[in-house]
Amino acid sequence: DIQMTQSPSSLSASVGDRVTITCRASQSIRSYLNWYQQKPGEAPKLLVYAASNLQTGVPSRFGGSESGTDFTLTISGLQPEDFATYYCQQTNTIPFTFGPGTKVDI
Amino acid sequence: EVQLLESGGELIQAGGSLRLSCAVSGFIFNNYAMNWVRQAPGKGLEWVSAISGSGDDTYYADSVKGRFTVSRDNSKNMLYLQMNTLRADDTAVYYCARQVVRYFEDWGRGTLVTVSS
């Protein structure tokens, strides 16, 4: 199975900060990497698909990039509604594995 | 508007069986693969199972293989997860999710399964 790691596991930030979350795959997943946001008590929400494509309706302050097996989610100008947990997911190979999550709080 | 609504979660004893359902609307159901994803209390997301649009192909995480069965009724726009020989570590919120190409675009709100030992 492909293992996904995320760093950091949590971070504290302030409104307006630039935040970067990294996800690493244990082997090549091409660009089949998605990012989800989850708030407490809610279902996950798709933010970025195929490494760098912003889902319709997601604010442009979110962005994704890739370099080999390393993937990055960047939030440029953190907003109050962005405090949540973020998960990466690979869909190159079944089982579709998720990263352990990165909690972003104040 | 795409909607997914899970049901069937409850408190059940270890060793028991349960069937979860996911009612969908707002899209042509048989055009899309569907997935089940679970989340244990306070933990991360775990992919559980997938089924192709036709229902001909099914896939499972090793943790549930041989115990869980995914199925769908395209005439009723329904997705199911039959869970047998339940264990305490199956306790989780179970989400159904619509797969578009290689990402999960839409999710239900989840249904809680609690397995007591």
Side-chain angles (χ1 to χ4, degrees), chain A residues 13-18 77-81 83 106:
Chain A
S14 300
V15 172
D17 283 354
R18 178 183 176 92
L78 199 66
Q79 296 299 301
E81 60 268 29
F83 291 95
I106 299 174

XYZ file of all heavy atoms in Angstrom, chain A residues 13-18 77-81 83 106:
97
model
N -1.546 29.353 13.796
C -1.363 30.467 12.883
C -2.341 31.580 13.214
O -3.269 31.393 14.009
C -1.546 29.990 11.436
N -2.127 32.692 12.585
C -2.987 33.853 12.794
C -3.667 34.236 11.486
O -3.182 33.884 10.388
C -2.170 35.037 13.306
O -1.542 34.728 14.539
N -4.759 34.942 11.605
C -5.442 35.440 10.419
C -4.465 36.281 9.601
O -3.740 37.122 10.139
C -6.687 36.258 10.811
C -7.289 36.938 9.585
C -7.718 35.361 11.482
N -4.436 36.007 8.306
C -3.545 36.711 7.403
C -2.246 35.996 7.127
O -1.536 36.349 6.181
N -1.919 34.975 7.918
C -0.672 34.229 7.719
C -0.705 33.418 6.433
O -1.764 33.042 5.926
C -0.425 33.269 8.885
C 0.080 33.958 10.129
O 0.359 35.174 10.075
O 0.198 33.277 11.171
N 0.480 33.130 5.934
C 0.642 32.177 4.841
C 0.984 30.833 5.478
O 1.927 30.738 6.275
C 1.761 32.617 3.902
C 2.055 31.669 2.755
C 3.230 32.192 1.952
N 3.640 31.306 0.883
C 3.174 31.386 -0.362
N 2.297 32.313 -0.685
N 3.621 30.539 -1.288
N -2.891 33.916 3.112
C -3.794 34.844 3.787
C -4.898 34.105 4.503
O -6.052 34.104 4.078
N -4.529 33.464 5.592
C -5.454 32.614 6.347
C -6.654 33.427 6.825
O -6.499 34.559 7.324
C -4.707 32.016 7.535
C -5.282 30.784 8.216
C -5.253 29.580 7.288
C -4.500 30.498 9.494
N -7.818 32.856 6.651
C -9.059 33.481 7.085
C -9.644 32.708 8.271
O -9.337 31.540 8.467
C -10.049 33.539 5.945
C -9.600 34.417 4.796
C -9.397 35.848 5.228
O -10.320 36.509 5.718
N -8.170 36.363 5.059
N -10.507 33.340 9.056
C -11.063 32.645 10.236
C -11.738 31.323 9.896
O -11.654 30.368 10.671
C -12.075 33.664 10.782
C -11.559 34.991 10.333
C -10.929 34.746 8.995
N -12.365 31.253 8.739
C -13.073 30.023 8.355
C -12.122 28.912 7.891
O -12.569 27.806 7.612
C -14.096 30.316 7.256
C -13.524 30.887 5.976
C -13.520 32.410 5.960
O -13.420 33.013 7.046
O -13.623 32.980 4.846
N -9.657 27.690 9.713
C -9.175 26.882 10.832
C -9.926 25.549 10.812
O -11.148 25.498 10.990
C -9.345 27.632 12.146
C -8.412 28.815 12.234
C -8.848 30.079 11.876
C -7.098 28.648 12.614
C -7.983 31.167 11.919
C -6.232 29.723 12.665
C -6.674 30.991 12.314
N -5.638 28.389 15.913
C -5.118 29.705 16.278
C -4.020 29.543 17.322
O -4.197 28.853 18.317
C -6.252 30.585 16.846
C -7.335 30.771 15.778
C -5.711 31.924 17.300
C -8.561 31.497 16.278
